[in-house]
Amino acid sequence: METSPTNAQPGQATLTDEIASPRPRNLLIWGVAALAFLTAMGISFLLTLPNAWTQPLDDAWRGVMGSSPQDSLPNSPLAMFFQQFGQPLCALFTLIIIPVALMIFGHWRSGLFVMAASFAGPGLVSQLAKNLVDRPRPATDEAAGLYGPLFTVDHGSFPSGHAVSMGVFVVVIMALIPAAKVGMRRIWLVIGLLLCAGMIWQRTLINAHWLSDSITGVIGGVGVGLIMWWAFWPLLKKDESRPWRIGRTAK
């Protein structure tokens, strides 16, 4: 029996099939579900503010976790790492520096993905929800030993913009790790969970947000990241097969 000649290199057919395959439906389903959760929380707060239905839990958590201006923990290196993560310098890093670096090395599709996801999460979803819900942040009540935000904050407590940024960041890095690097993805999953938990801890430690704002922010950020991953799936797969070379012309 004659066989047709082929010029395909080992693994090329598999990669081509993977690029041409439909986008993973689970990315879209879980992403939409996460954003639906954020939306439902926002609507429920609009209907119950100023006393949100999560307030008993939020108050109990604040009573245990919230710090005073005299405490040193909010200014510790670990806490300040999470504080700086959502600041303008970090936004510059995720919106410009990382995307430009990826483009320089010939992975312009991945660069666009990082830029789009970073803008869609903290830049769009977070600010839109903050302006629509406008939930008051924790206020100072010295008689009860409670204090307001220990660092400068903008308006609106729901959702935590820092937490949204972290949720997006964790998913974006996961998407940039090649699927074949299973071990790296598992390690990053553990690191990502710790980063998200750390962000929730820090935002409530400094009284910048209620617990429900921070948890919902992480979930919403993950949702944005998953949807953007789904949308950019074919482009990311093309970049996955490309070598890392400065100045290489992308095709």
Side-chain angles (χ1 to χ4, degrees), residues 23-33 226-227 230:
R23 295 177 176 87
R25 192 176 302 175
N26 284 342
L27 293 178
L28 181 61
I29 292 174
W30 284 107
V32 170
L226 291 175
I227 291 175
W230 175 85

Side-chain angles (χ1 to χ4, degrees), residues 1 23 34 58 130-131 157 162 175-176 188 206 213 226 232:
M1 178 181 296
R23 295 177 176 87
D58 290 333
K130 281 177 178 287
N131 282 278
S157 184
H162 279 67
L176 294 179
W188 178 248
I206 67 168
D213 302 329
L226 291 175
F232 278 81

Side-chain angles (χ1 to χ4, degrees), residues 1-2 12 31-32 41 45 47 55 58 75 80 112 116 126 130 153 169 175 183 192 200 219 225 238 241 246:
M1 178 181 296
E2 294 184 359
Q12 182 176 346
V32 170
M41 289 290 287
F45 286 164
L47 297 176
Q55 205 61 57
D58 290 333
N75 291 300
M80 289 306 297
L112 289 178
S126 175
K130 281 177 178 287
V153 294
F169 176 75
I200 293 171
I219 294 174
K238 289 181 180 179
S241 64
I246 296 179

